[in-house]
Amino acid sequence: MKDNNLSGGNLFSGIIELNKTIHEPARIAILCLLSSVESADFLFIMNQTGLTQGNLSFHLGKLESAGYIVIEKRFRNKRPNTLVRLSDTGRDEYRRYIRSLREFLNGISD
Amino acid sequence: MDNKTKTSSIELRLWLTNYEDGLTDMFFGCFLMITGSNQLITWFGHDVPVYFNLGILVLIGIYLLLKKYVAQPRLGTVKFGTRRRRKRMKALIIAVAAQVFTAIVFYFALNHLLPQGERSGLISLIIEFLFFLIVFSVIGYYTDYKWFYFIGVIMAVAWPVNYILQPYLHSVLPGIILQLDAGSLMLIIGMIRFIVFLRTHPKQGDLNYERQ
């Protein structure tokens, strides 16, 4: 066990310990978008990420359960509208995730 | 720093989606055409600044309605961060200040309070050239709408072109035609972009989050 650590176990701890809730292409895209703006509605996120309604709902649900985003359902011009924004926890976790991933990728040659 | 740059470039790309409906191109195309046709009317001896102001107001109204009822239901809504809102506010302040400045100069000119003569005419042309160029470029910089540089150049060049060519052509048409052509170009490009936008972004009804 000890030998395993010495032979490179710690080397990959960065990538192994990446946040699994975030580490999914669709969720990275959603968080990246939300980290660049204050808030966006469901349709805007769908248009920009290219995800389907069901897919986007699924990933937003995962992120909301983890407390990374805040979903607010409201009415706009008498029509239902879903507003999504990043929570403080979500912003911190997203930054940590990007930092860890970048650190790991910097050590890899093409 | 790298992280900040990457976020900014994505934020910029998201911001530019505001213009992908082509409505802003069409708006400023019409704006240039209205300024050009207003000069044409003035050249024919009808001094009607009301026509210009009314035209712009109607244009703003149509633009806002199309944005709200055509573009927004297709594109969705997004609220940008403080940095972007500050930039937008700066652009708005500069635009309003430029309007106030133009109105004051216009008042002075109407009441013959500005110095007359060949030399002062040239100086006012240079000031006007720089004014349009600087104002539109700064607004273009703050709004990231590249067409503003083009509008600035056209607006800045229109009067000097007339000033230089009038002794030979005895007409102010070249400057007016320049604005009308540039406006038409922007309007056509805007219309093409608008049609493409309508095709690529069909109205999707009430698409909303459904908990799964």
Side-chain angles (χ1 to χ4, degrees), chain B residues 12-181:
Chain B
L12 175 65
R13 282 162 70 179
L14 293 172
W15 169 252
L16 292 179
T17 58
N18 274 325
Y19 306 127
E20 78 178 48
D21 54 23
L23 288 173
T24 315
D25 304 342
M26 283 158 69
F27 174 82
F28 284 106
C30 291
F31 171 81
L32 273 177
M33 289 172 80
I34 287 175
T35 47
S37 53
N38 184 54
Q39 284 172 35
L40 194 68
I41 291 167
T42 312
W43 187 58
F44 281 125
H46 306 283
D47 201 6
V48 278
V50 178
Y51 163 76
F52 174 77
N53 290 327
L54 269 180
I56 297 295
L57 279 177
V58 169
L59 201 63
I60 291 172
I62 294 170
Y63 174 76
L64 293 176
L65 285 174
L66 284 172
K67 272 278 181 197
K68 187 174 178 181
Y69 292 106
V70 179
Q72 217 176 64
R74 287 172 165 83
L75 200 62
T77 48
V78 59
K79 193 175 174 190
F80 286 89
T82 325
R83 203 182 122 262
R84 178 60 64 183
R85 286 211 300 273
R86 221 173 273 157
K87 278 179 90 173
R88 210 167 44 182
M89 184 53 76
K90 280 178 189 169
L92 192 68
I93 289 168
I94 291 163
V96 170
Q99 279 289 322
V100 171
F101 179 75
T102 311
I104 292 168
V105 171
F106 192 67
Y107 172 80
F108 273 80
L110 273 184
N111 293 290
H112 306 289
L113 295 170
L114 293 175
Q116 304 290 313
E118 191 69 20
R119 204 172 151 203
S120 60
L122 188 69
I123 292 169
S124 66
L125 261 185
I126 294 168
I127 292 171
E128 195 175 46
F129 175 82
L130 291 173
F131 175 75
F132 279 124
L133 205 65
I134 292 168
V135 165
F136 278 98
S137 300
V138 171
I139 294 174
Y141 171 76
Y142 281 128
T143 55
D144 287 303
Y145 182 59
K146 304 296 177 222
W147 275 109
F148 269 126
Y149 299 107
F150 174 74
I151 299 167
V153 170
I154 296 295
M155 296 284 281
V157 162
W159 283 107
V161 161
N162 282 341
Y163 186 82
I164 294 162
L165 296 178
Q166 200 166 11
Y168 308 103
L169 301 173
H170 307 291
S171 152
V172 290
L173 280 176
I176 294 170
I177 290 170
L178 189 70
Q179 287 183 45
L180 290 175
D181 282 352

Side-chain angles (χ1 to χ4, degrees), chain A residues 38-39 47 64 79-80 82, chain B residues 74 79 206 208-209 211:
Chain A
E38 204 170 285
S39 62
N47 272 325
E64 190 192 24
R79 284 172 175 276
T82 309
Chain B
R74 287 172 165 83
K79 193 175 174 190
D206 294 329
N208 267 301
Y209 168 65
R211 183 170 268 283

Side-chain angles (χ1 to χ4, degrees), chain A residues 81-98:
Chain A
N81 182 269
T82 309
L83 194 74
V84 187
R85 66 181 167 81
L86 209 59
S87 68
D88 291 339
T89 318
R91 197 172 294 279
D92 290 343
E93 284 299 326
Y94 175 68
R95 279 184 188 149
R96 193 171 299 134
Y97 169 80
I98 293 291

Side-chain angles (χ1 to χ4, degrees), chain A residues 19-81:
Chain A
N19 188 323
K20 303 287 188 301
T21 311
I22 300 177
H23 194 67
E24 204 286 333
R27 277 173 237 157
I28 298 171
I30 294 166
L31 290 175
C32 182
L33 187 154
L34 292 173
S35 71
S36 307
V37 298
E38 204 170 285
S39 62
D41 74 358
F42 188 85
L43 183 61
F44 186 83
I45 301 172
M46 207 177 100
N47 272 325
Q48 299 308 316
T49 55
L51 296 167
T52 60
Q53 183 184 11
N55 232 332
L56 180 57
S57 290
F58 171 77
H59 291 297
L60 286 180
K62 287 272 179 196
L63 291 169
E64 190 192 24
S65 305
Y68 294 167
I69 58 167
V70 177
I71 294 176
E72 186 190 322
K73 284 201 157 199
R74 57 183 187 161
F75 279 89
R76 216 183 148 161
N77 299 325
K78 294 179 182 173
R79 284 172 175 276
N81 182 269

